[in-house]
Amino acid sequence: MFLQDIDVIDVDLCVQQPEKFIAHTRASADLSAVTPYLNAMFRTAAYNHDDRSIRFTSDRVEYTIIREQVNIAKFANRTELHELLDWFKDLVNDIYDSRGEMTPMYECRKPVPVFFIYNLLPKTNCRMCGEKSCMVFAALLNKLEADIDACPPLSEPKYAENRHKLEVAFA
Amino acid sequence: MPIYLDNGATSYPKPDEVCGAMIEYMTHNGASPGRGNYARAMDADKLVYETRKALSKLLGAPRPGQIIFTCNATESINMALKGYLRPGDRVLTTGYEHNAVARPLKKLETERGIRVELIPCAPDGTLDLSAMRSLLDGGTRLVAAAHGSNVIGCITPLGEVVGTAHERGVPVLADAAQTAGAYPIDAAALQIDMLAFTGHKGLLGPTGTGGLYLREGVVLSTLKEGGTGGMSLSPFPPDDPPDRYEAGTMNVAGIAGLRAAVSYLMGVGVDAVRRHEVELTGILLDGLDSVPGLTYYGPRDTEDRLGLVSFNIEGRDPHKVSMSLDRDYGIMVRSGLHCAPSAHRLLGTAPVGAVRASLGYFSDREDVERLVRALKEISSRGE
Ligand SMILES: Cc1ncc(COP(=O)(O)O)c(C=O)c1O
Ligand code: SF4
């Protein structure tokens, strides 16, 4: 097995979300071998080829990986942390075992600029997406923390062209 | 060699690994999980997590975090009933419940005005599911049922009970105190909403351990509040399981033992334990058939029952029979009402009760044969 174990070094309160936790952990293997594949898998990944580090979000939990170091943020408790570590370990080992059939990605995706997105939104601030304004929604789309579908007016025929442009930008 | 046939109360002996794991934790770790940040506390976290994981595999829980640790099935059942039921709710239950279910329900009846109704059933414990279906229509909010009776030995067809209850959108709490570890359970496949279990019976772990499985989405109000290790600034318990329900320092030594027990059980396989008990129960029932004046209760088919058999010898006080078994033959069984008076009412054995011999994974043919021989002697001896 490529990745045998991940040891938890410490658990602390998350600075960004004080009702959640962050953990510093150490993997028993250098994960640089799999980060380009994780980059290919996770749309939200921020990958740096210089040190092969990566940060990505899955199910609202944030993973930051540099070699053996794995930081996990925004989990609810230590039981969830261990569940996430089990999940992550299986994921890494699956990737490692099937890397022959996968295509790694060595570039960091460029974010779609907020203003470009904002210009294509209806700009009515109707709040149907659940956000305070189209600008806030645009910022979330830019961070890949929202989905175009969450804005119902965009599905109206008059926005069809705008929607298409957004879909291309995020493809 | 004395013979222990009271595994329905608590299993004995325990696998050697159980005691070993407890000593190991007490000697070399000793830290409180979920709190400190030093390496040993992290190891204690891992130990508790691995136990949850093993239990989740054994009981068919999709995720380890759905297993909440308690000190026994009684606490788990109290947590479920008191955390779920609201004033005026109606509950359907069986006529063979242990007091661990019956007494909390009684208390909620007097304090929260809940209404409790029984699913009609035959003296061998067979539930009338069509009667259950019509009872459900009256606005029932929960079905609470023992998975196996600790007196009659009958096994509740959980799949059918859950299916029937879910047709009406009613969740089910199963009391698996007698079945966990001794009878295969797949909580996810059976779609059970809440499953209470104890660590010291079929799971072969130490006393003072138990748990409650909660299906994803089931949220209870808490039975106890206190320190959970994190989010200490909040005056309220955390929202997420299992921490929400586990206030206070947990029984880590017990959990270490339970982990070893579950891993032992998984090595053997619950199916193999079940086969062993079914076979011995067959030998026991055949033997009891040959004891003059003896009546045993519950289903005759060994596939339909647990490895425990309650019986009486005509004209004999069950208490004296069990005393004689212990004093004269070194055989430990339990007599009386077994904390389940309603089951004895169903059998017509209340208020004196019956003698109960309960087998375990470590019981063997010799134990059963000696019990049968002893009962024959007692029966022929006269009062
Ligand atoms: C059917 C049943 N439910 C609940 C319990 C309570 O278990 P515990 O004493 O471990 O809480 C028992 C055992 O005594 C039992 O047999
Ligand atoms: S739903 Fe669309 S149009 Fe309405 S506020 Fe959100 S982004 Fe703007």
Side-chain angles (χ1 to χ4, degrees):
Chain A
M1 205 194 300
F2 168 63
L3 176 54
Q4 299 277 352
D5 249 320
I6 309 177
D7 284 336
V8 181
I9 298 160
D10 65 32
V11 178
D12 209 344
L13 285 179
C14 184
V15 205
Q16 297 170 37
Q17 262 177 291
E19 76 282 12
K20 301 272 178 184
F21 292 97
I22 177 165
H24 302 103
T25 74
R26 188 176 296 117
S28 60
D30 181 343
L31 301 181
S32 304
V34 295
T35 49
Y37 298 90
L38 287 167
N39 185 31
M41 282 177 82
F42 289 92
R43 225 164 57 93
T44 60
Y47 173 73
N48 182 347
H49 194 57
D50 294 340
D51 58 4
R52 292 197 160 214
S53 68
I54 191 169
R55 178 157 81 233
F56 66 93
T57 305
S58 169
D59 236 352
R60 289 186 292 279
V61 174
E62 211 174 271
Y63 300 77
T64 312
I65 302 154
I66 312 173
R67 298 186 175 279
E68 289 88 4
Q69 247 183 62
V70 181
N71 293 348
I72 302 190
K74 300 183 187 170
F75 56 90
N77 54 51
R78 295 186 187 198
T79 305
E80 190 189 359
L81 168 64
H82 283 280
E83 287 180 350
L84 297 169
L85 288 174
D86 276 350
W87 171 81
F88 180 70
K89 202 174 97 182
D90 289 348
L91 176 71
V92 165
N93 284 323
D94 282 353
I95 292 176
Y96 190 83
D97 293 343
S98 7
R99 66 194 188 288
E101 290 90 66
M102 293 174 75
T103 314
M105 184 169 160
Y106 297 104
E107 311 80 44
C108 188
R109 286 182 190 75
K110 288 207 176 56
V112 185
V114 178
F115 199 68
F116 173 85
I117 303 169
Y118 175 71
N119 267 336
L120 293 170
L121 289 176
K123 292 196 227 107
T124 56
N125 298 335
C126 75
R127 294 187 169 205
M128 282 168 78
C129 57
E131 303 307 329
K132 271 209 291 270
S133 64
C134 295
M135 187 58 88
V136 175
F137 188 69
L140 287 177
L141 280 178
N142 158 270
K143 286 191 282 179
L144 299 169
E145 285 172 12
D147 199 280
I148 303 170
D149 288 339
C151 167
L154 260 189
S155 305
E156 291 168 18
K158 60 176 168 181
Y159 296 115
E161 198 182 325
N162 286 13
R163 189 190 160 93
H164 179 70
K165 282 184 186 159
L166 283 168
E167 278 169 357
V168 171
F170 282 104
Chain B
M1 268 270 284
I3 297 176
Y4 182 82
L5 292 177
D6 196 15
N7 291 280
T10 193
S11 56
Y12 179 88
K14 310 291 183 188
D16 290 342
E17 294 86 333
V18 173
C19 210
M22 295 173 81
I23 291 173
E24 168 67 24
Y25 164 77
M26 298 283 278
T27 317
H28 298 295
N29 184 296
S32 175
R35 285 139 170 85
N37 250 336
Y38 41 94
R40 285 228 306 267
M42 296 296 147
D43 291 344
D45 274 355
K46 182 110 191 242
L47 167 70
V48 171
Y49 174 75
E50 291 297 337
T51 314
R52 278 191 225 279
K53 193 166 151 186
L55 283 164
S56 67
K57 288 215 173 98
L58 190 86
L59 300 172
R63 285 181 30 225
Q66 293 173 287
I67 305 283
I68 296 152
F69 283 117
T70 62
C71 64
N72 51 35
T74 303
E75 185 187 349
S76 309
I77 294 162
N78 272 270
M79 190 180 272
L81 293 174
K82 293 174 181 170
Y84 182 78
L85 293 170
R86 299 186 300 229
D89 280 349
R90 195 164 92 141
V91 182
L92 275 191
T93 187
T94 78
Y96 47 81
E97 294 306 310
H98 188 275
N99 272 341
V101 171
R103 283 184 173 165
L105 284 178
K106 180 49 90 184
K107 173 147 171 154
L108 292 171
E109 216 170 36
T110 53
E111 290 188 353
R112 286 190 204 167
I114 68 157
R115 284 167 302 148
V116 180
E117 277 181 72
L118 297 186
I119 305 167
C121 86
D124 69 354
T126 308
L127 294 174
D128 182 343
L129 292 177
S130 64
M132 170 183 168
R133 194 167 285 121
S134 40
L135 278 169
L136 276 169
D137 282 335
T140 301
R141 215 169 146 255
L142 182 71
V143 173
H147 185 201
S149 161
N150 64 319
V151 173
I152 306 170
C154 58
I155 300 160
T156 306
L158 268 188
E160 289 168 61
V161 168
V162 172
T164 308
H166 283 189
E167 276 169 28
R168 301 291 191 278
V170 179
V172 174
L173 162 66
D175 167 10
Q178 285 297 336
T179 48
Y183 189 87
I185 297 176
D186 189 332
L190 291 168
Q191 298 191 28
I192 299 166
D193 302 276
M194 303 185 253
L195 182 102
F197 59 92
T198 203
H200 64 98
K201 298 184 198 259
L203 290 178
L204 307 178
T207 48
T209 60
L212 178 66
Y213 155 79
L214 291 185
R215 189 151 103 126
E216 198 81 51
V218 177
V219 181
L220 305 174
S221 111
T222 51
L223 185 65
K224 55 187 183 185
E225 297 76 31
T228 52
M231 318 305 170
S232 301
L233 280 176
S234 165
F236 302 107
D239 290 338
D240 295 285
D243 291 28
R244 174 177 177 76
Y245 307 105
E246 291 181 344
T249 304
M250 47 175 56
N251 176 10
V252 194
I255 288 170
L258 184 57
R259 179 186 173 196
V262 173
S263 103
Y264 176 89
L265 254 182
M266 302 228 274
V268 173
V270 173
D271 282 318
V273 173
R274 173 71 185 149
R275 298 296 4 124
H276 177 69
E277 291 190 10
V278 165
E279 190 193 330
L280 284 189
T281 308
I283 299 169
L284 176 58
L285 293 183
D286 289 345
L288 294 180
D289 275 331
S290 68
V291 179
L294 186 144
T295 308
Y296 59 77
Y297 309 102
R300 177 62 180 88
D301 190 336
T302 50
E303 293 296 339
D304 296 339
R305 64 178 305 144
L306 299 172
L308 63 88
V309 183
S310 298
F311 57 85
N312 271 313
I313 299 177
E314 203 182 345
R316 296 304 176 78
D317 176 357
H319 182 64
K320 288 192 180 147
V321 173
S322 75
M323 294 269 283
S324 169
L325 283 173
D326 181 39
R327 298 220 178 125
D328 308 330
Y329 303 93
I331 301 175
M332 291 165 262
V333 296
R334 182 162 160 209
S335 66
L337 294 172
H338 311 97
C339 300
S342 57
H344 281 284
R345 270 179 226 121
L346 201 61
L347 296 177
T349 47
V352 275
V355 184
R356 180 187 72 183
S358 46
L359 309 164
Y361 180 61
F362 296 107
S363 307
D364 60 20
R365 173 185 274 270
E366 160 87 13
D367 298 341
V368 172
E369 287 170 353
R370 269 177 60 188
L371 170 69
V372 171
R373 276 202 302 276
L375 287 169
K376 279 185 182 155
E377 282 184 29
I378 293 173
S379 156
S380 65
R381 211 192 294 140
E383 187 81 52

